[in-house]
Amino acid sequence: GEGKKEIPSILVCGSHRAGKTSILQVIFEKKSPHETHFLESGSAPSKMRVDRNGLMRFDLHDLPDAHLIEEGTEQAKLFADAGVTVFVIDVQEDPYMEAISQARRTIDTALKVNPKMSFDVFIHKIDGDQFFSDDQKAGVRTDIETRLNNAGRDELETHVSYHCTSIYDHTIFEAFSKVVQRLLTAQLPPLVSCLDVLLGQSRLERVFLFDAVSKIYIASDPQPVDLQSYELCSDMIDVVVDVSCIYGAEGMAAYSKSESKSACIIHLQNGNLLFLLEIDCCLALVAIIREENFDRQTLLEHNIGLFKSTIDTICQKTTTGVPQNG
């Protein structure tokens, strides 16, 4: 009813064995990439709910076979309520023409049901020997973009973003961060401007707001994100935040009530520091700061305190009307 916000959803589709389920397990269930080799190929749609705080709240639908998504089917109805659709193309399956035509059919079906839908195409398994250089990766990406655009009558540029991904490195986490950010259309601009203020007032080089469990970054300061900064900050979460307690409702409840939020500083060889502070249930602020600018730690902590209260406000707006556990 009114006042209750629906939980948005992300649909993940792709051709058979494209790697959809592995992606979700590596990001959201903390499986190592090697563990996913033994997955049975999925045949039934599955759903997973992520509900950690006001920013990380969504349902993930893993839709096994793209060719089954026809207008009027149960799977097609999911598009009506979805915020974003991810289509996974396995580039090691050569040629990937069939995957491209499936992607195009899925996009066209989805847009009929939901004209506002946005899409993220994952050009996936780009870790093979044949994609050794950045030029080769860029070539595959351009090829897929061109073919996908030419596969239908209408231009798709406004609706589709492309990402080269692999579960063996950070690219999959960075790409899925962008997907989650698409759901946060109302929250993202104030978050980014708050991070920008924090960056300026505290003389930071870079700052990210992370979901500490999945290592998805929810927002960053407005500078374009380079993978190296993201990797540094993401790896710091692995070092510092003990998320082992988060699995299971009791662990989660204990974690969210515990006052012992992690904080840590790591000195890098290049004269920068990495600074991590958990600021809320599963939310971590990670910043890169030059050593000589880290002379007023109390000021930084004060500024982070202000940022935290802004986040609380944004999160409350997001979850208004949704019954809270606890």
Side-chain angles (χ1 to χ4, degrees), residues 154 190 193 268 305:
D154 305 317
S193 60
L268 303 174

Side-chain angles (χ1 to χ4, degrees), residues 194-238:
C194 288
L195 287 168
D196 196 27
V197 169
L198 181 64
L199 180 104
Q201 290 182 339
S202 308
R203 295 175 298 166
L204 309 174
E205 299 296 301
R206 296 272 6 197
V207 60
F208 292 89
L209 179 67
F210 273 94
D211 170 47
V213 187
S214 64
K215 298 189 297 183
I216 279 174
Y217 77 93
I218 295 165
S220 70
D221 63 77
Q223 303 170 75
V225 171
D226 59 300
L227 200 57
Q228 199 182 2
S229 300
Y230 168 73
E231 283 175 12
L232 271 175
C233 295
S234 168
D235 287 348
M236 185 168 183
I237 290 176
D238 279 342

Side-chain angles (χ1 to χ4, degrees), residues 3-7 51 57 316 318-325:
K4 177 168 175 172
K5 294 254 180 133
E6 290 299 311
I7 287 198
D51 191 1
R57 297 180 75 244
Q316 276 160 5
T318 313
T319 53
T320 307
V322 176
Q324 297 297 302
N325 297 328

Side-chain angles (χ1 to χ4, degrees), residues 9-117:
S9 56
I10 297 170
L11 306 187
V12 183
C13 356
S15 45
H16 196 55
R17 299 209 68 84
K20 304 175 290 296
T21 308
S22 302
I23 290 172
L24 296 178
Q25 291 195 348
V26 165
I27 299 175
F28 294 101
E29 293 177 11
K30 288 289 181 233
K31 283 212 163 65
S32 77
H34 301 286
E35 285 176 273
T36 66
H37 283 275
F38 309 106
L39 277 177
E40 286 293 305
S41 182
S43 56
S46 63
K47 179 175 136 180
M48 180 194 306
R49 173 157 290 184
V50 174
D51 191 1
R52 292 198 249 288
N53 51 52
L55 297 169
M56 289 293 288
R57 297 180 75 244
F58 47 83
D59 286 331
L60 290 159
H61 292 270
D62 180 354
L63 304 184
D65 253 345
H67 67 263
L68 300 175
I69 303 174
E70 299 294 336
E71 259 184 289
T73 61
E74 282 304 306
Q75 294 198 351
K77 286 179 193 153
L78 289 170
F79 288 120
D81 304 316
V84 56
T85 297
V86 174
F87 197 97
V88 182
I89 292 178
D90 173 359
V91 288
Q92 291 190 23
E93 193 180 310
D94 204 32
Y96 38 72
M97 298 312 138
E98 179 52 33
I100 288 173
S101 57
Q102 278 186 2
R104 184 66 210 222
R105 283 198 301 275
T106 303
I107 289 171
D108 289 342
T109 304
L111 286 175
K112 280 180 194 152
V113 179
N114 180 353
K116 292 198 182 80
M117 172 72 76

